[in-house]
Amino acid sequence: MELIIYLLIGAIAGFTAGLFGVGGGLIIVPILYIVFTQLNYDPNVIMHIAVGTSLATIIVTSISSVMAHHKKGAVLWSVFRNLAPGLVLGSFLGAGIADLMSGQHLQLVIGIFAIWMAFKMFRGAHGVVDPNRHLPSAPIQFAAGGGIGAASAIFGIGGGSLTVPFLNRYGVVMQKAVATSAACGLPIAVAGAVGFMWFGTKQQVEVPNTIGYVHIYAFIGISIMSFITAKVGARVAHRLSPAMLKKCFAGLLVTVGCYFVYKGLF
């Protein structure tokens, strides 16, 4: 029965991710939090397990996504090579930071981030891409990767909402920014998931079917179904207007954000 629940979560997360064109992290985390609460898991680690498991599932979806973008020749691999070391280091460090935070603080941080993302999306603030601008030096890209990786691991996301604006700012067109961001999601997810397993193991988390802060059954169920239903969501998205999609997703993020802010405060 538990595995069926995770398959259903994967179906919802995958469909939503395909519909709105984003990673499913900010969808998976709140649903897992609710499910783990209903299963009476230790409330001190529920949020950490939700985030760690979310990162683990992004490994699978990121591989699928980057393969599709690579076939179209849209991934800027030279930029990826500059960002990746920082992404890996930052993601592992982010997992360590999350481990030091209480469940309530983690809820509060993720809730505020979700509301901020909703505000940006509702305003349609993507910025104008200036093709005359150039990416900064390799060391600065490494540092940027570190910041993106750390934040992504704490929030349990693939980092697209942070990587794409960074690349846009330096003149990378949207298609290539999205494709390169998809590639960047893999080192973020791998290092973040390993970090959450590592730090969770040291905390001796007493929750069944987990390795550290990653729930194995949830990882398997969500990965399988999200891989399938993301394609369905993408097909539905083409029938709706981009403006409507943005507003719907912004509304969803506001709901998630307010929920976690409320839980974090009260």
Side-chain angles (χ1 to χ4, degrees), residues 44-53 98-99 101-103 106 196 213:
N44 294 317
V45 298
I46 284 177
M47 204 58 198
H48 297 77
I49 298 173
V51 173
T53 305
D99 178 55
M101 298 169 68
S102 68
L106 198 54
F196 271 90
Y213 291 130

Side-chain angles (χ1 to χ4, degrees), residues 17-249:
L19 182 65
F20 297 122
V22 296
L26 285 175
I27 306 300
I28 294 170
V29 171
I31 299 178
L32 280 181
Y33 173 80
I34 293 169
V35 171
F36 292 158
T37 300
Q38 295 301 313
L39 291 172
N40 295 316
Y41 289 169
D42 182 356
N44 294 317
V45 298
I46 284 177
M47 204 58 198
H48 297 77
I49 298 173
V51 173
T53 305
S54 171
L55 284 166
T57 64
I58 291 170
I59 295 172
V60 178
T61 54
S62 179
I63 290 172
S64 172
S65 178
V66 75
M67 286 175 64
H69 285 297
H70 177 66
K71 286 180 181 178
K72 296 180 179 179
V75 181
L76 299 175
W77 290 110
S78 59
V79 177
F80 171 80
R81 283 192 291 271
N82 290 332
L83 290 172
L87 293 170
V88 170
L89 190 62
S91 297
F92 193 83
L93 179 64
I97 294 171
D99 178 55
L100 296 173
M101 298 169 68
S102 68
Q104 282 186 308
H105 287 154
L106 198 54
Q107 288 169 349
L108 199 56
V109 168
I110 292 175
I112 292 170
F113 175 73
I115 293 171
W116 175 70
M117 281 297 302
F119 175 72
K120 279 185 63 179
M121 188 164 286
F122 195 78
R123 282 182 55 200
H126 295 292
V128 178
V129 178
D130 183 358
N132 295 319
R133 297 201 65 178
H134 299 286
L135 284 161
S137 63
I140 293 178
Q141 290 184 51
F142 170 83
I148 291 169
S152 299
I154 293 170
F155 302 140
I157 61 174
S161 55
L162 303 172
T163 308
V164 171
F166 169 74
L167 295 175
N168 283 165
R169 182 180 178 185
Y170 292 103
V172 179
V173 297
M174 183 57 77
Q175 291 85 348
K176 291 186 177 180
V178 170
T180 306
S181 172
C184 290
L186 185 56
I188 288 173
V190 171
V194 169
F196 271 90
M197 286 190 285
W198 169 265
F199 291 109
T201 302
K202 293 182 74 175
Q203 291 289 350
Q204 297 181 335
V205 176
E206 295 183 3
V207 173
N209 308 312
T210 58
I211 299 176
Y213 291 130
V214 175
H215 196 290
I216 301 304
Y217 284 1
F219 162 69
I220 294 171
I222 293 170
S223 297
I224 291 171
M225 286 305 295
S226 63
F227 187 84
I228 297 169
T229 58
K231 297 175 183 178
V232 179
R235 283 198 293 268
V236 174
H238 288 291
R239 300 176 185 176
L240 302 174
S241 72
M244 179 59 70
L245 286 175
K246 286 179 186 177
K247 289 178 181 178
C248 288
F249 188 56

